[in-house]
Amino acid sequence: MEVCLYNVAPAAHLQRRLDGRSTIERVAAWVGELTARVRPDDEAVTVYTTSDLPGLPEAWKVERGDPLTQAGMIALLAGLTSDAETEIVFAFFDQPFLNAELSERLIARHRRYRGEYTFADGYPVGLAPEVVSGRAVSHLASLASEAEVLDRRGLFPVVQKDINRLDVETELSAIDQRLMRLQLSVDTVADLLLCERLAPGAPAAIDGWAAHAESHRERHRTLPRFVSVQVIEQEVQRLAYSPYPQMRDDVLAPGRVMSCEQFEDLVGQTDALSAEAVVHLSLWGEVALHPRAVDFVRSVLARPRLRVLVETSGVGWPAALREELFAIDSGRLTVIVGLDSNDPELYAHVRGDGFAEAQDFARTAVQRLGERAWVQAVRSQLTEPALDAFYREWHERTPNVIIVKHDHFCGRLSSLKIGDISPLDRFPCWHLERDLHVLVDGRVPLCREDLDAAQTGVNAFAGGLSQAWEAGDSRFAEHVQGVWNGICEQCDEYYTFNF
Ligand code: SF4
């Protein structure tokens, strides 16, 4: 058996004690227990790491390098063994709760059914490794992308490219825990804090995890992961499905803009609070109309781990600013272009003027930014007639097509949604758990639905961001108790998800 561990987390996070033991100690213990349980004929451990890793067992082989692409990782696995029957157990190193019992189950299933790839499903991310047979590695090498960085989905995206030709086995959780969206890893400060909070009382028995995670639901709200900022009040279009006219009489009229100093202040606070958060521009208003829009993007990217999401209609960009945006060469920039339809008449009905300009912006974004660009349509009774065509036409150019449901803003708008996709049982709001919103004057509404910003009295400028985040704790605690007060009662957005 070959154990391959891949680390992208900072050493300081891995050394932090979680209920008495560091992640390094916990992973070493997992390997020891796994070996004792499955008794392989032979066993070797290789760690590939992007940062220095002190305190590893001496017998482990350590390789240091840059983050790996899918192809790079498969090449690493291929170098571990040439034996077709060898099992390779692959896991991210920064997962302190890797579970020996679940790992043993995976290996037993892999052996019983002579699987080529075996994985666990329905559990929080971070409890299980993946298991690959030596005989599958050369086929996976032919599928793996040279361009795509290996992300938290592990080897599955590679397997998925030819899933019908591979013997894939799945170890399913008795209780589907995916709706908790937990990632039990220590690579980000938000998830490090989550692991710290869930470590006391964490069960050794894998079937105890669902109850453990559920009974400490209030601890899941750690730090903001998505900070949406309104940098300008003015819109470039009057969207037929937007509630913005309830906030401003004339959404096209010039209004307030956030200054560079104010924005820089917010970015600095976000970086200090949640260093891997996504900063989203612009909560309301068209970011293209802000003369410093690209400076704002650069300001976020100047922080080493923050990411930035620009959401735009693609209309109103001065040529030079647009070129500057497309020239940014950073994997931490994502652009979403809201188009809604490829039909010019329908577009005009839903969004107004600018069809040709928006289409050109979106096509150029896809060409220049590749996988960092997305096109989006809001699915509603307005867009439904041409939605299939929209999806098909854009999907020929890019896999990055987003269809989002219509939002009636807690009953402030007539519902235009097609069908009901809400969960059978309501759960605590993902937006409340993960998002923070800041208006152009620094006020912090409860969430994007809170059009009146009447639910909190906190201002984010001048050091208020952390306080604004904490102000959401009490509402989240209500949700954990199954109490939906105020605008939350009518809300149909609690199960939608940003990042
Ligand atoms: S349930 Fe709806 S209204 Fe309440 S916080 Fe979540 S998104 Fe906002």
Side-chain angles (χ1 to χ4, degrees), residues 117-404:
Y117 171 78
T118 303
F119 72 112
D121 202 9
Y123 295 93
V125 173
L127 294 181
E130 298 162 273
V131 186
V132 184
S133 282
R135 65 179 181 280
V137 172
S138 60
H139 185 45
L140 292 180
S142 70
L143 304 172
S145 161
E146 299 275 1
E148 287 177 61
V149 172
L150 189 82
D151 63 26
R152 197 55 65 165
R153 295 169 296 166
L155 307 175
F156 188 73
V158 182
V159 171
Q160 216 174 9
K161 291 178 186 173
D162 198 11
I163 200 161
N164 292 329
R165 283 190 54 203
L166 286 156
D167 289 327
V168 176
E169 298 297 329
T170 312
E171 182 67 29
L172 269 182
S173 171
I175 299 172
D176 188 351
Q177 298 164 63
R178 286 172 301 181
L179 285 180
M180 285 191 278
R181 286 190 176 268
L182 295 179
Q183 181 165 305
L184 302 172
S185 62
V186 300
D187 53 333
T188 68
V189 287
D191 282 328
L192 173 63
L193 186 54
L194 176 70
C195 291
E196 205 166 55
R197 289 177 174 185
L198 291 181
I206 186 60
D207 291 337
W209 258 98
H212 178 65
E214 186 61 50
S215 65
H216 297 300
R217 193 88 190 215
E218 74 288 352
R219 298 182 190 172
H220 300 191
R221 186 177 197 269
T222 55
L223 294 169
R225 297 158 191 268
F226 185 81
V227 180
S228 183
V229 183
Q230 181 188 28
V231 296
I232 187 164
E233 285 189 306
Q234 187 179 7
E235 279 290 4
V236 76
Q237 293 173 322
R238 279 194 185 87
L239 269 61
Y241 54 76
S242 172
Y244 198 37
Q246 297 192 23
M247 299 170 73
R248 294 191 83 209
D249 291 339
D250 182 359
V251 298
L252 304 186
R256 293 173 292 179
V257 295
M258 189 173 283
S259 71
C260 290
E261 293 72 26
Q262 288 169 326
F263 186 74
E264 184 64 27
D265 168 44
L266 285 179
V267 172
Q269 290 189 63
T270 305
D271 189 38
L273 184 62
S274 184
E276 297 84 9
V278 174
V279 178
H280 168 245
L281 311 174
S282 173
L283 170 55
W284 303 106
E286 171 53 62
V287 62
L289 299 181
H290 198 300
R292 306 298 294 273
V294 177
D295 290 336
F296 284 5
V297 171
R298 290 200 195 98
S299 161
V300 179
L301 295 176
R303 316 286 164 154
R305 292 168 75 90
L306 287 180
R307 292 172 286 163
V308 59
L309 169 62
V310 174
E311 189 168 356
T312 176
S313 65
V315 178
W317 286 87
L321 209 59
R322 178 183 133 140
E323 178 53 34
E324 279 186 56
L325 179 72
F326 290 151
I328 292 176
D329 181 19
S330 168
R332 292 184 288 126
L333 164 67
T334 303
V335 173
I336 295 178
V337 191
L339 295 173
D340 290 325
S341 182
N342 280 356
D343 179 298
E345 279 182 32
L346 189 56
Y347 181 93
H349 177 59
V350 173
R351 303 192 67 103
D353 295 337
F355 176 78
E357 186 181 344
Q359 289 278 321
D360 181 62
F361 184 96
R363 276 195 293 268
T364 311
V366 168
Q367 278 166 10
R368 299 279 299 275
L369 302 176
E371 297 205 335
R372 297 178 292 148
W374 296 73
V375 293
Q376 178 171 284
V378 173
R379 186 181 185 205
S380 73
Q381 291 163 18
L382 302 172
T383 56
E384 185 69 2
L387 203 61
D388 270 359
F390 175 84
Y391 185 84
R392 271 189 279 103
E393 287 169 28
W394 278 103
H395 206 258
E396 285 173 11
R397 300 188 186 106
T398 172
N400 294 354
V401 183
I402 311 171
I403 308 293
V404 298

Side-chain angles (χ1 to χ4, degrees), residues 31-82:
V31 172
E33 193 181 340
L34 177 62
T35 306
R37 281 171 177 260
V38 303
R39 298 181 186 284
D41 297 336
D42 199 7
E43 173 238 359
V45 180
T46 301
V47 180
Y48 185 97
T49 177
T50 58
S51 62
D52 283 334
L53 271 186
L56 298 181
E58 279 186 7
W60 291 11
K61 188 176 151 206
V62 180
E63 287 187 37
R64 173 91 196 256
D66 293 330
L68 290 174
T69 61
Q70 291 177 354
M73 177 50 74
I74 301 293
L76 179 70
L77 300 186
L80 299 182
T81 181
S82 54

Side-chain angles (χ1 to χ4, degrees), residues 2-22:
E2 293 281 345
V3 178
C4 181
L5 300 166
Y6 178 48
N7 177 53
V8 289
H13 289 200
L14 297 159
Q15 290 171 309
R16 174 92 75 94
R17 299 204 167 274
L18 313 172
D19 197 33
R21 285 188 302 156
S22 72

Side-chain angles (χ1 to χ4, degrees), residues 410 426 429 431-432 446-447 449 479 487-488 491 493-494:
C410 306
R426 187 160 179 177
C429 172
H431 297 288
L432 205 47
L446 177 68
C447 62
E449 309 301 296
H479 281 210
I487 58 172
C488 297
C491 182
E493 282 292 300
Y494 66 91

